[in-house]
Amino acid sequence: MEIEILPTKVLALDFLANITAQHSELELKLTKLKSLSLYGSETRQYLFQLNVLIGYVSAHFATEEKLMQNFDYQMFLKHKQNHSDFVNKLTNFSNDIVEGKMTNLNTVTTFIEFWFEKHDLDFDIALESFMTKVAV
C-alpha cells in the first residue's frame, strides 16, 4: 500500500519545490522589468523583457495547471481562467506598447506587481495548502 501512495506524495513535493523555484524566477524577472520602467530604459528593452515574462508565465502556468488537473484540484477552472486573463492582459499591454498606445511603462509594471500579489492571496496560497496536504 505504501508503494502506491508514495508516487503521489513525491509528485506533490516535487510540485511544491518546482513552483517555489519558478515563483523565485518570476520575482527576478519582475524586478528586472521594474528597474527598466523606473530608470527610463528604452521602450524596446522593456518590451523585450515584458515578452520574456509573458513566455515564462505561460510556461509556469502550464506547469501549475497540469498538476492541478492531475490532482483534481477543486479550484482548477477558476485558477486557470485567472491565468488566462493575465496572459491576455500582458499580451494586450505588449501590443499597445508596440502600437504606441501605451507609453507609461510604470502603469504596466504596477499592474503586474499588484496582479501577482492578488493572485498569490486569492489562488496560490490555497493551492500550496492543498498540495501540502496531499504530500503529507
Side-chain angles (χ1 to χ4, degrees):
M1 188 82 163
E2 280 293 316
I3 294 173
E4 293 176 21
I5 295 170
L6 184 61
T8 300
K9 288 183 179 186
V10 169
L11 185 58
L13 288 170
D14 184 55
F15 166 82
L16 289 169
N18 191 11
I19 294 305
T20 299
Q22 288 181 6
H23 284 175
S24 294
E25 184 64 25
L26 283 169
E27 288 177 24
L28 291 173
K29 291 186 181 321
L30 182 56
T31 298
K32 183 159 191 164
L33 201 61
K34 186 175 181 178
S35 69
L36 287 171
S37 67
L38 288 175
Y39 298 110
S41 297
E42 291 183 26
T43 301
R44 66 183 176 164
Q45 290 175 319
Y46 185 89
L47 185 61
F48 176 79
Q49 288 303 321
L50 177 60
N51 288 324
V52 167
L53 180 68
I54 292 168
Y56 193 84
V57 297
S58 296
H60 168 69
F61 293 163
T63 300
E64 272 191 7
E65 291 164 8
K66 180 180 177 185
L67 287 161
M68 283 189 277
Q69 272 190 303
N70 287 346
F71 286 99
D72 295 322
Y73 183 59
Q74 185 178 7
M75 296 287 293
F76 169 68
L77 292 177
K78 285 184 179 182
H79 203 135
K80 181 177 175 151
Q81 185 62 52
N82 190 253
H83 287 166
S84 179
D85 292 346
F86 181 63
V87 171
N88 289 337
K89 184 71 171 177
L90 292 184
T91 302
N92 289 338
F93 277 138
S94 180
N95 291 336
D96 288 348
I97 292 168
V98 168
E99 295 170 8
K101 296 177 185 175
M102 172 59 74
T103 57
N104 187 344
L105 304 180
N106 287 323
T107 299
V108 177
T109 305
T110 300
F111 170 82
I112 295 168
E113 286 181 299
F114 284 123
W115 185 89
F116 275 122
E117 289 175 19
K118 184 166 177 32
H119 179 77
D120 190 46
L121 291 171
D122 293 349
F123 292 96
D124 284 347
I125 290 173
L127 176 59
E128 288 173 14
S129 175
F130 171 81
M131 293 306 295
T132 299
K133 288 176 186 172
V134 169
V136 175

